[in-house]
Amino acid sequence: MPAADLPLDVKLMTAATRALAALFAFMCLGAFSLWAVRHPVWSVKGISVHGDVVHQNAVTFRAQLATQMKTSLSGSFLTVDLQQVRRLFETVPWVRQAVVQREFPNRLRVTLQEHQAVAWWGESGSGQLVNDAGEVFEANPEDLDGLPELAGPRDQSATVWALYQALLTDLARLDLGLDRLELNERGSWRATLDSGAKVELGRGSPEDLQARVRRFTATLSQLTQRYPGALESVDLRYPNGYALRVHGVTTVSDSDAKPQPNTR
């Protein structure tokens, strides 16, 4: 008998039977999938770490992450939360970024990018460092001799690092080094040269500050010939010149120059 000629109750029963069969098949498939996912063959057997591992090794990772990692890997290889594992690795000192991938059949691959320390944040040995992206991070002090010091509001670390690099280039023309650059809460800048001399930069945009330093470096050799001696301090907070103090001598490069108001 054609399907179109079947009674309505038979059609409904046939449709219900097919629906139940489909539901049963779906449930069987789900149960099989759950069994397969939980099968020991899919448990995570190991984690391989690649990339920047200068400051870390397998022993330190185990010591710092063992407890948390057990919780994160309590599921199977197929269900493990890769983002959670990534966040765990990024809590380890010196680790800036981690990328976690599955490696079939039962391993995880972690690729690390470490912080590249370029300066201390605050004081040397403080445990806070600045990386080459201008980000402040915390790490155990190590043998990091020769790093400069940067200081200021933490959310301004990238600005401080960028200005440090720019000023260092300008000062290098006179073989001057820059040991410290700080921005105080009032927005005024101060630098310390590698000779120990203090440089008051004042307020202003990075371009303004660079212009003051370039004015200083362009004329310093002339002044040191006239006033030989160890450089003690420089005040660049003048509109048309700067004040220079050398051992035993104090002078202003422009006799008409006056300090800028509200810079102290």
Side-chain angles (χ1 to χ4, degrees):
M1 179 182 296
D5 297 333
L6 291 174
L8 179 60
D9 56 343
V10 175
K11 292 180 180 179
L12 292 175
M13 186 175 295
T14 302
T17 301
R18 291 175 178 174
L20 288 173
L23 178 61
F24 178 74
F26 178 78
M27 293 176 63
C28 290
L29 179 61
F32 175 79
S33 299
L34 184 61
W35 172 83
V37 165
R38 292 181 176 178
H39 195 279
V41 73
W42 291 114
S43 61
V44 177
K45 299 298 184 183
I47 301 176
S48 59
V49 179
H50 306 268
D52 298 335
V53 289
V54 175
H55 297 92
Q56 303 294 340
N57 55 48
V59 175
T60 57
F61 279 128
R62 279 196 293 268
Q64 298 180 56
L65 299 178
T67 302
Q68 302 97 312
M69 199 62 70
K70 285 181 180 179
T71 302
S72 299
L73 302 180
S74 58
S76 75
F77 169 78
L78 297 176
T79 61
V80 63
D81 187 341
L82 300 185
Q83 295 306 311
Q84 184 179 7
V85 176
R86 173 188 63 79
R87 288 190 292 270
L88 282 177
F89 273 91
E90 290 179 352
T91 63
V92 176
W94 288 100
V95 176
R96 179 173 184 260
Q97 187 177 42
V99 177
V100 184
Q101 300 168 301
R102 292 182 175 87
E103 282 190 337
F104 285 91
N106 51 23
R107 296 182 63 85
L108 298 180
R109 177 187 178 93
V110 181
T111 304
L112 300 180
Q113 178 189 33
E114 287 191 342
H115 293 282
Q116 301 300 314
V118 295
W120 292 103
W121 185 250
E123 302 291 336
S124 296
S126 64
Q128 291 191 319
L129 293 153
V130 182
N131 65 21
D132 54 0
E135 301 164 338
V136 178
F137 68 99
E138 297 184 6
N140 297 327
E142 296 184 359
D143 185 13
L144 297 171
D145 295 336
L147 290 184
E149 296 176 353
L150 305 179
R154 185 159 177 163
D155 61 354
Q156 295 293 314
S157 60
T159 300
V160 179
W161 168 234
L163 182 60
Y164 172 87
Q165 295 176 88
L167 297 184
L168 185 64
T169 300
D170 292 329
L171 292 169
R173 298 189 180 101
L174 292 180
D175 294 326
L176 297 174
L178 186 55
D179 277 358
R180 181 178 174 87
L181 179 64
E182 58 185 298
L183 171 65
N184 66 28
E185 295 179 353
R186 292 166 292 182
S188 188
W189 295 82
R190 171 184 286 182
T192 303
L193 303 183
D194 57 355
S195 64
K198 305 294 184 182
V199 182
E200 295 290 348
L201 298 165
R203 293 192 182 103
S205 67
E207 292 75 18
D208 293 336
L209 301 177
Q210 279 189 268
R212 294 171 199 167
V213 170
R214 288 170 182 169
R215 181 175 60 200
F216 163 64
T217 58
T219 57
L220 179 62
S221 59
Q222 302 171 22
L223 290 172
T224 53
Q225 289 176 6
R226 183 177 178 183
Y227 304 102
L231 184 65
E232 293 182 353
S233 65
V234 184
D235 192 340
L236 304 182
R237 298 173 296 178
Y238 291 79
N240 301 309
Y242 57 86
L244 178 71
R245 181 185 294 274
V246 297
H247 184 67
V249 180
T250 300
T251 186
V252 177
S253 65
D254 185 337
S255 60
D256 298 324
K258 294 184 182 299
Q260 295 179 341
N262 301 320
T263 58
R264 294 184 181 274

